[in-house]
Amino acid sequence: MSAEAIRPTATADTIVLVHGLWMTPLSWEKWIERYEALGFTVIAPAWPGLEVGAEALRKDPSPLEGLGIKEIVDHYETVIRALDKPPIIMGHSFGGTFTQLLLDRGLGVAGVAIDSGPVKGVLRLPLSTLKSASPVLSNPGNAKRAVPLTPAQFHYAFTNSLTEAESREVYDRYHVPAAARVLFQGAFANFNPKAATKVDFTRDRAPLLFIAGGNDHIVPAALNKENVHRYHKSPAVTEYFEFPDRTHYTVGQPGWEAVADKALSWAVEHASK
């Protein structure tokens, strides 16, 4: 479906965008402009502590130290419940994990998890995922710190289809240190009975689409496929779509429009009545 054919409906006219680790809401800037031009109300809240923006966080990342998954998801739940009606919820990377958690709480009319981090119960751990996360996870002392990536590490993890010069432009505009506790909580969820990323895979909730990238180093498509499979006992709609050549920077990588349009058209079509 072309972007021009996508229009708000009575049940799907508001979109909440949830950013991921090492990023801020600025990473959604192109999507916000595109969706607003189509007539949708678009909200892209920052994680708690990230409201100050990328430049300030690079100078002083202390607001990210110790920030955890529950605090972040609770924050988004508060934002969503304050809206006049349930929104479409879209999340990228760990924002995709948070999208799953928010739908599990009964929120939203539809969800789209883009290059989604896994929830508790997803066991696959690809080597490229380990390499991408190693700057944080290799040091247990990082657990309550804010940890940046180097430009080279960012290039491998996010922008592996771009040149080094192109990747550096993306890095300079969007990258911020990561709230490392979030990554530790996600990485070790399967060893924690009370993990913050636990969902009920059998729950009836709003429809959910996983969008994966075939060239994604942080969250390879196989990881998303397993996450989708975990929902096989749920009566709710759970679907999967893969863009073969997309990297983890799919929200801004050239050709991002096709991803944005697929996410929105699917969500509007499947939004719960």
Side-chain angles (χ1 to χ4, degrees), residues 171-186:
Y171 179 90
D172 289 343
R173 182 161 181 79
Y174 299 117
H175 172 265
V176 295
R181 185 179 173 214
V182 170
L183 192 55
F184 275 90
Q185 287 180 313

Side-chain angles (χ1 to χ4, degrees), residues 48-145:
L50 274 78
E51 302 90 345
V52 296
E55 185 175 351
L57 287 169
R58 291 180 197 128
K59 293 178 180 177
D60 177 18
S62 60
L64 304 176
E65 295 174 354
L67 181 64
I69 290 172
K70 185 178 185 302
E71 297 95 319
I72 297 168
V73 179
D74 286 349
H75 171 70
Y76 279 96
E77 178 174 0
T78 298
V79 170
I80 290 168
R81 291 197 183 280
L83 299 174
D84 292 337
K85 62 176 70 172
I88 294 167
I89 305 172
M90 295 185 187
H92 173 246
S93 194
F94 251 105
T97 304
F98 301 154
T99 297
Q100 294 183 64
L101 295 171
L102 290 165
L103 265 60
D104 190 63
R105 294 186 182 192
L107 301 169
V109 293
V112 182
I114 303 159
D115 296 347
S116 177
V119 293
K120 176 180 170 63
V122 177
L123 304 178
R124 188 180 296 270
L125 196 58
L127 290 177
S128 65
T129 301
L130 288 172
K131 181 176 179 178
S132 298
S134 63
V136 175
L137 298 180
S138 60
N139 181 1
N142 285 334
K144 293 187 178 181
R145 296 173 181 163

